Amino acid sequence: MTERTDTATTAEREVLVIERIFDAPRELVWKAWTDAELLKRWWGPKGFIAPAAEIDFCVGGKFLFAMQSPEYQDGRTLWSTGEYREIVPFERIVCTMAMADEEGNIVPPTDYGMTEDFAAESLLTVEFEAVGNGQTKMTLRHEGLPPGDMLEGAGTGWNESFDKLAESLK
């Protein structure tokens, strides 16, 4: 079972915070973020697949992830990229996130239908905490999102992705 705490999703000054408890050890939840094959099992909201993921997991290294849904933008592949800024093994990952093309070049968020106030680059902090009984508390902090519909949509997307993550950890 995964405890879903939607009430822990908050929107303050363009910051989204989501906490989830997973029925999996911290090392496995960590690996789901750091291993491209495991990440492809859960990346993207409900109805999306992740056909590609590349991870150079080191400070200064980059990632390039793809997600796709037949219902969203006529099946167009959506790419995101970022750079790892801080890695504390099994405790914290801090990275940037931006919309990209398939080569990993940053593109304006408007290319993917985002509003003009959507930041070209945002900051993700993911923390992992062992909480007993083989469970892991994961906290995502996504900074730089515009308030309103875009922030709410990001919250929905992350929560649906984390539902898929919970399933992939079984």
Side-chain angles (χ1 to χ4, degrees), residues 75-169:
R76 179 179 182 197
T77 302
L78 308 174
W79 296 88
S80 57
T81 190
E83 182 177 320
Y84 295 103
R85 291 194 173 168
E86 179 184 357
I87 297 171
V88 180
F90 307 109
E91 292 182 19
R92 181 174 44 259
I93 299 169
V94 179
C95 61
T96 60
M97 179 167 272
M99 303 297 174
D101 62 20
E102 65 185 62
E103 308 281 317
N105 301 306
I106 294 175
V107 300
T110 52
D111 284 7
Y112 286 127
M114 306 299 172
T115 58
E116 296 217 0
D117 59 346
F118 201 92
E121 185 174 80
S122 58
L123 186 68
L124 293 181
T125 301
V126 187
E127 296 181 317
F128 306 83
E129 178 186 353
V131 291
N133 296 325
Q135 295 182 317
T136 302
K137 176 182 176 184
M138 185 190 76
T139 304
L140 170 95
R141 181 177 176 87
H142 192 165
E143 301 178 51
L145 297 168
D149 290 344
M150 290 273 113
L151 186 68
E152 287 180 31
T156 298
W158 279 118
N159 272 308
E160 290 179 359
S161 294
F162 295 156
D163 291 344
K164 290 168 52 180
L165 173 56
E167 285 298 311
S168 77
L169 294 170

Side-chain angles (χ1 to χ4, degrees), residues 10-67:
T10 59
E12 299 174 343
R13 290 179 249 119
E14 303 180 357
V15 176
L16 176 70
V17 179
I18 300 173
E19 294 179 346
R20 295 289 287 266
I21 304 290
F22 294 100
D23 275 339
R26 179 170 63 168
E27 293 78 11
L28 182 57
V29 180
W30 172 269
K31 192 172 180 182
W33 280 86
T34 61
D35 179 284
E37 291 306 310
L38 293 178
L39 185 124
K40 288 184 343 185
R41 295 179 188 174
W42 65 270
W43 187 258
K46 180 180 177 182
F48 281 77
I49 60 166
E54 297 174 16
I55 298 174
D56 180 13
F57 193 64
C58 62
V59 173
K62 295 189 177 193
F63 65 83
L64 179 63
F65 304 152
M67 65 180 182

